[in-house]
Amino acid sequence: MNESSALKKLPLIVKSPLLALSLTALALTACGGGGGDGDGGGGNPLTNGSIGNSGWTAGVYKPSSEFDNFCASPRKGVSKYTGVAFPDKRGSLADEKNFLRSWSNETYLWFDELPDPNPAGYSTAQDYFDVLKTNKTTSSGANKDNFHFYESTEEAEAWDSGVTYGYGIRLKVYSSFPPRSYYIAYVEPGSPADLAGVKRGAKILKIDSYDLVNENSNAGLSALNEGMFPSKLGAAHNFEIQDSGATTSRTVTLQSAEVAISPVLLTKVLETATGKVGYVVFNSHVEKAEDQWVKAVNQLKQSAISDLVLDLRYNGGGLLSIAAQVSYMVGGSNVKDKVFYEQIQNAKQKKLEPFPFLDYGLYGDYNKLDLPALNLNRVYILSSGDTCSASEAIINGLRGANVQVYLIGDTTCGKPYGFYPEENCGTTYYTIQLKGANAKGFGEYSDGFSPASTANAATLVKGCRVQDDIEHQLGDTSEALLATALNFRANGSCSARFNGKLQKPAVDFVDGQLIEPEVRKLLLVK
């Protein structure tokens, strides 16, 4: 196995923040406030907390290291997820903002397009960070940088360790305005929702007697938000749901908890007339996915599958290192020792080595051990608008290594940029610092990869456009995306039989949006 120095910092991909069911999503707005710029009685001895108040000079930057971990309210103790002591030192809010200013100038991909407002004009470090990005637009008029965000470090570490908060449900939303339409996309095994018998395809009608479909009062919307995404662990709420295919509703009580996610949600071997086909539902590129993928690949190898359907329709991203491992375990000898991802940074940063297809473990039980592989020269990928970043890197990386990729579903989200998540004073910040390309030099897929009748060398991938079929369980061979993939594999047709009826994928359709308390859809590096 070959280890590259490019792995000193391992890329990951993360979804953009706060696309949760929110007051905004339910047609309300809210706003908050912040504090002042004082140093709270202490200060960074290098700056004495003064820069950002009176010492700011436009275009003049001190090294970010002079401000790193100097905090207005330093934490004490250790992280509950990593066990590592907090690095915080007594500093000031000015130090926090000056760190963000210098760090952005040093590492932002388009650093020469950054505005440089006086930090003293912003009441919080987060408010200041929000403006530290390019204001330029693309040729279509869209914002050039749509991926700038931050979150609490505790939330970032929880996600990285494979833990989320809530009931273990992921939502598919077809309308967030009355009459609203909220469905269960999938349920985490062993979660409160799973133990209550909640299944994919159930429609949520009410929460704690409030009508999710039609409620419009401020009090009702606040209650619905708190019920859907409770602010406290252990909070219990009543959900009235209508199961897929049912004509009546039922009520279940769900209690919020820490939920261990299953990145590899499902592994199956499907018997077809033309051989055994593996099917893997892969939902998140977190560290624990490595062990689960090894188990899945060993199962598929033992069954001697001839093809693989890889379901990425709900996979918004995660560690790029996991994407490189998954791509190796799919392609094996067809991709070994080839470039998976070319890492391109700004002119201030040194050139990075290309990121390889990884044939060895980095985490868990397989750390430093060789990974198994299926050695396939083609793969059928199920996609949606929620297929993002690390998932798109799999598509692009495999195509760059001449593995034939077929795409069944919808156009992917289009997030080709990368980030080094930076923790400072309890907040983890994400600013674009990286763009990438595959072994053929292609990396411009900001409009996503699209299924098409004929592929090209760019963003058109041979396959079929099909709407997500929320009425069938994942892995059911009657489910529209899987049925189409199997039919396309067998005869090259985008038509498939569902429950005895021949159905052609709709030319125009509006698919639902996957909603989570933390929606991660970005390529990040750490």
Side-chain angles (χ1 to χ4, degrees), residues 118-146:
N118 189 334
Y122 298 84
S123 59
T124 70
Q126 293 76 22
D127 286 345
Y128 184 54
F129 177 72
D130 281 340
V131 303
L132 295 179
K133 62 178 181 177
T134 179
N135 293 316
K136 291 187 178 296
T137 58
T138 66
S139 57
S140 66
N143 291 330
K144 187 174 181 178
D145 184 354
N146 282 318

Side-chain angles (χ1 to χ4, degrees), residues 4 38 46 87 132 137 141 160 164 265 277 294 300 329 386 391 397 449 451 459 468 478 480 482:
S4 167
L46 296 174
L132 295 179
T137 58
D160 212 16
T164 61
L265 189 71
V277 176
V294 170
L300 299 177
M329 286 188 273
D386 297 299
S391 295
F449 291 102
T459 59
D468 191 11
S478 294
L482 179 54

Side-chain angles (χ1 to χ4, degrees), residues 168-190:
I169 59 176
R170 295 296 176 266
L171 302 175
K172 192 86 169 178
V173 181
Y174 292 88
S175 174
S176 59
F177 295 91
R180 301 183 189 90
S181 184
Y182 281 70
Y183 287 83
I184 306 297
Y186 67 92
V187 176
E188 293 289 356

Side-chain angles (χ1 to χ4, degrees), residues 274-290:
T274 53
K276 295 180 178 180
V277 176
Y279 174 70
V280 176
V281 180
F282 180 36
N283 286 340
S284 184
H285 292 72
V286 294
E287 290 182 7
K288 65 190 294 185
E290 180 183 283

Side-chain angles (χ1 to χ4, degrees), residues 93-340:
L93 180 56
D95 290 323
E96 294 185 35
K97 290 187 285 187
N98 278 291
F99 168 77
L100 293 171
R101 177 175 178 263
S102 294
W103 170 70
S104 298
N105 177 261
E106 291 162 0
T107 67
Y108 190 58
L109 185 62
W110 305 294
F111 70 92
D112 53 345
E113 298 175 12
L114 280 173
D116 187 20
N118 189 334
Y122 298 84
S123 59
T124 70
Q126 293 76 22
D127 286 345
Y128 184 54
F129 177 72
D130 281 340
V131 303
L132 295 179
K133 62 178 181 177
T134 179
N135 293 316
K136 291 187 178 296
T137 58
T138 66
S139 57
S140 66
N143 291 330
K144 187 174 181 178
D145 184 354
N146 282 318
F147 313 132
H148 198 73
F149 78 103
Y150 61 86
E151 64 183 337
S152 77
T153 297
E154 182 174 343
E155 290 176 347
E157 291 177 345
W159 178 84
D160 212 16
S161 65
V163 173
T164 61
Y165 301 95
Y167 311 114
I169 59 176
R170 295 296 176 266
L171 302 175
K172 192 86 169 178
V173 181
Y174 292 88
S175 174
S176 59
F177 295 91
R180 301 183 189 90
S181 184
Y182 281 70
Y183 287 83
I184 306 297
Y186 67 92
V187 176
E188 293 289 356
S191 66
D194 182 39
L195 297 176
V198 178
K199 303 290 185 184
R200 168 179 167 84
K203 184 177 182 179
I204 302 176
L205 303 176
K206 294 181 180 179
I207 303 175
D208 294 334
S209 77
Y210 288 95
D211 183 0
L212 178 61
V213 178
N214 297 303
E215 179 65 53
N216 249 343
S217 70
N218 288 0
L221 294 177
S222 295
L224 287 168
N225 275 283
E226 180 60 27
M228 191 74 78
F229 300 110
S231 57
K232 297 179 181 179
L233 291 177
H237 295 274
N238 296 318
F239 283 67
E240 183 181 335
I241 62 175
Q242 184 172 337
D243 295 315
S244 178
T247 57
T248 59
S249 63
R250 64 188 178 101
T251 299
V252 296
T253 299
L254 301 179
Q255 188 171 19
S256 64
E258 288 191 0
V259 178
I261 66 173
S262 296
V264 180
L265 189 71
L266 178 64
T267 303
K268 290 184 70 173
V269 176
L270 307 174
E271 300 282 353
T272 77
T274 53
K276 295 180 178 180
V277 176
Y279 174 70
V280 176
V281 180
F282 180 36
N283 286 340
S284 184
H285 292 72
V286 294
E287 290 182 7
K288 65 190 294 185
E290 180 183 283
D291 286 348
Q292 294 183 13
W293 257 101
V294 170
K295 181 180 179 180
V297 169
N298 284 333
Q299 175 185 338
L300 299 177
K301 284 172 66 70
Q302 186 175 11
S303 299
I305 65 164
S306 57
D307 275 305
L308 176 68
V309 177
L310 176 55
D311 195 337
L312 299 177
R313 76 182 79 180
Y314 300 141
N315 194 320
L319 291 160
L320 186 58
S321 54
I322 294 293
Q325 291 175 329
V326 169
S327 298
Y328 169 75
M329 286 188 273
V330 171
S333 58
N334 296 297
V335 301
K336 188 176 176 63
D337 298 327
K338 294 184 179 180
V339 170
F340 175 66

